[in-house]
Amino acid sequence: MNDQLDALLALQTADDGIQALEGRLAALAPRLGRLDAERQAADKAVASAQAALERESERHAHLSERAGEFRRMNERAVGQLDMVRKARDASAAGAQVDVTRRALADAESELHAAGQRLATLQSTLDSAQQRTGSIDAEQAPARDELRVEREGIDRELADARAARASLARAVEPRLLMKYERVRGRRHGPAVFPLHHFTCGNCDTAIPTQRRAGMAAGNIEVCESCGVLLYAAPATANASGAH
Ligand SMILES: [Zn+2]
């Protein structure tokens, strides 16, 4: 039975190692996620700057058309003022010139403001595009570092899993099945030493009638928490720190 215990404990050590490696692998994901999010944000900034620029371009074209209409109206009014001879007509034509000139001035000032917004949006788009152009180069060292780490962990995992497979072959199938069931349920260690005939995991006392068998080397299931328990002959007397 002690051979089986040794084999089981070696297997557990291997599984703990694999679990730690898997934890390190999982810890890479958020780091990669942050880089991806940064790149997505840069792409999104370009798209939204492009959309804003298009909207403002349409608005600018519309204002430009309107200013053109007022300019033509003003030119017509000026032309009519030149043609009138009577004083009364001249005053009406002059008023028309004033009205169209004011409308033209307003439209031109709006057009000018739209032109300035257009220039600002264009420069926003330019810098957003520059950012997406440089972000890959900027992120390259961090992505390389992550890839190297991942490859290293993958290699360690492959070795650890191969070693684990050969350790598992040394454990009797029924015991292995029990162990794997407990391990799968707890996502952590499944085999614990007894401490003065109480469970090393949950501290529940082992019934008196099972103690002799355990002292003889039997591996038992804790009735309370379900882990596998063993009495370590060498340390059973020394580890009584309760
Ligand atoms: Zn227990």
Side-chain angles (χ1 to χ4, degrees):
M1 205 61 197
N2 269 345
D3 282 357
Q4 278 303 293
L5 179 61
D6 289 347
L8 195 61
L9 291 175
L11 183 64
Q12 168 155 279
T13 302
D15 278 339
D16 288 345
I18 289 171
Q19 199 172 0
L21 287 168
E22 285 169 344
R24 280 172 54 200
L25 204 57
L28 299 182
R31 287 165 61 193
L32 192 62
R34 273 194 294 277
L35 292 172
D36 288 344
E38 203 181 30
R39 188 151 69 187
Q40 275 161 14
D43 291 345
K44 211 174 147 189
V46 169
S48 95
Q50 246 157 2
L53 187 64
E54 273 165 34
R55 279 195 303 274
E56 195 58 43
S57 291
E58 274 175 36
R59 193 174 139 81
H60 185 270
H62 170 72
L63 288 171
S64 168
E65 205 175 301
R66 202 162 69 112
E69 276 168 31
F70 284 130
R71 193 171 298 113
R72 283 189 295 279
M73 281 166 69
N74 181 248
E75 281 163 4
R76 271 200 303 278
V78 169
Q80 275 186 340
L81 182 62
D82 286 346
M83 288 191 296
V84 293
R85 295 190 174 83
K86 288 184 199 154
R88 209 185 63 188
D89 291 344
S91 140
Q96 184 61 20
V97 169
D98 285 347
V99 166
T100 55
R101 192 175 49 219
R102 273 197 300 275
L104 175 59
D106 286 350
E108 278 181 335
S109 121
E110 267 191 82
L111 181 62
H112 178 69
Q116 280 178 328
R117 283 195 299 273
L118 211 53
T120 305
L121 289 171
Q122 182 64 57
S123 94
T124 303
L125 176 60
D126 288 347
S127 52
Q129 276 169 337
Q130 253 168 26
R131 174 95 185 106
T132 54
S134 64
I135 198 161
D136 283 350
E138 206 178 284
Q139 289 190 345
R143 284 185 185 274
D144 280 350
E145 192 183 306
L146 275 173
R147 185 179 46 75
V148 169
E149 272 185 62
R150 173 182 298 272
E151 285 169 0
I153 296 169
D154 281 343
R155 274 195 301 275
E156 279 187 69
L157 258 178
D159 292 348
R161 282 179 179 140
R164 195 263 179 207
S166 91
L167 288 170
R169 280 193 289 276
V171 179
E172 283 170 2
R174 279 187 53 202
L175 183 58
L176 181 63
M177 221 164 72
K178 261 191 209 168
Y179 164 81
E180 284 179 341
R181 203 159 46 221
V182 177
R183 178 119 204 153
R185 179 164 53 77
R186 302 187 76 243
H187 304 292
V191 191
F192 288 81
L194 280 176
H195 287 153
H196 285 297
F197 288 111
T198 66
C199 170
N201 181 49
C202 75
D203 252 2
T204 300
I206 302 305
T208 320
Q209 65 271 24
R210 292 170 68 197
R211 294 185 181 186
M214 295 199 68
N218 289 352
I219 296 170
E220 299 273 356
V221 175
C222 172
E223 288 175 340
S224 175
C225 73
V227 302
L228 302 178
L229 293 170
Y230 66 95
T235 55
N237 298 324
S239 67
H242 275 298

